[in-house]
Amino acid sequence: TYGDWSSDVCSSDLKLSRNLLIGGLLIVAIALGVHLMSPKEPAATDKPAAAANAGDTGSPLEPKAAPSVRGKAAPDVTLKNLAGKPVALSSLKGKVVLVNFWATWCGPCVIEMPWFIEFQQKYGKDGLEVYAISMDEEGPKVVQPFVDKHNMKNLTVVMGEEKTPEAFGGLLGLPTSFMVDRDGKLYSKHQGMVQKADVEEEIQILQIGRAHV
């Protein structure tokens, strides 16, 4: 009868649908399993793998690029100290020299100056000399009180002249610092306020105070 035939068709359709559903679930399960078991690509990072893992493996990081001034002879400038005595930069050859252009009115200069005083105290006995070139136009009358106030007497403080910055290739502003090696050659240039750790590392690289490394 129609009812029996209709019942058989519905039953057949139901079995077919159920079989299709089971088959579809099996396909999804197999695909998911294959995805989970497949090897994963390492996630991208901003740092090279060697640098990211250097702390774990002890392998060195890539060396920093050498500054463009490195290896050039330091300018042979002769400037007067606060007592009016000429002090030639070349007279300090054999020492590692930190040349710093600064001024009493320069905020960043005031911030970094205590670091240079500390370096002179810490590494001076090993041959470090801080050659601090003041660019104050008013001269020693304003620089001397500043030096006294900030206990800069262990530094070689000299008065810069109008053409002094040109001898060093020109300055974009103050402060600007240069590291000079024992042979009187430029090692690095720092425009703006230095990073204390960077300068101290350079002092140590240039064989000053190795016992403190």
Side-chain angles (χ1 to χ4, degrees), residues 71-150:
K72 296 181 180 179
D76 188 13
V77 298
T78 300
L79 303 171
K80 293 181 180 180
N81 63 16
L82 299 183
K85 179 181 177 181
V87 182
L89 182 57
S90 60
S91 69
L92 302 176
K93 190 174 181 179
K95 296 184 176 183
V96 171
V97 184
L98 196 171
V99 178
N100 174 242
F101 284 85
W102 68 286
T104 58
W105 45 261
C106 166
C109 301
V110 177
I111 293 174
E112 68 181 10
M113 193 60 72
W115 304 339
F116 301 155
I117 295 171
E118 177 186 334
F119 294 155
Q120 185 64 54
Q121 293 172 339
K122 186 175 181 180
Y123 300 108
K125 61 183 177 61
D126 298 310
L128 173 70
E129 192 79 24
V130 177
Y131 192 77
I133 304 175
S134 170
M135 297 305 295
D136 287 275
E137 295 180 357
E138 296 87 347
K141 68 179 182 180
V142 297
V143 177
Q144 186 65 65
F146 185 93
V147 168
D148 295 339
K149 178 180 178 181
H150 294 275

Side-chain angles (χ1 to χ4, degrees), residues 10 16 23 26 57 78 132 137 172 183:
C10 290
L16 180 61
L26 287 174
T57 64
T78 300
E137 295 180 357
L172 295 178
D183 296 322

Side-chain angles (χ1 to χ4, degrees), residues 4 74 90 93 140 149 159 161 170 193 198:
D4 294 336
S90 60
K93 190 174 181 179
K149 178 180 178 181
M159 297 304 307
E161 300 172 353
M193 190 172 72
D198 290 346

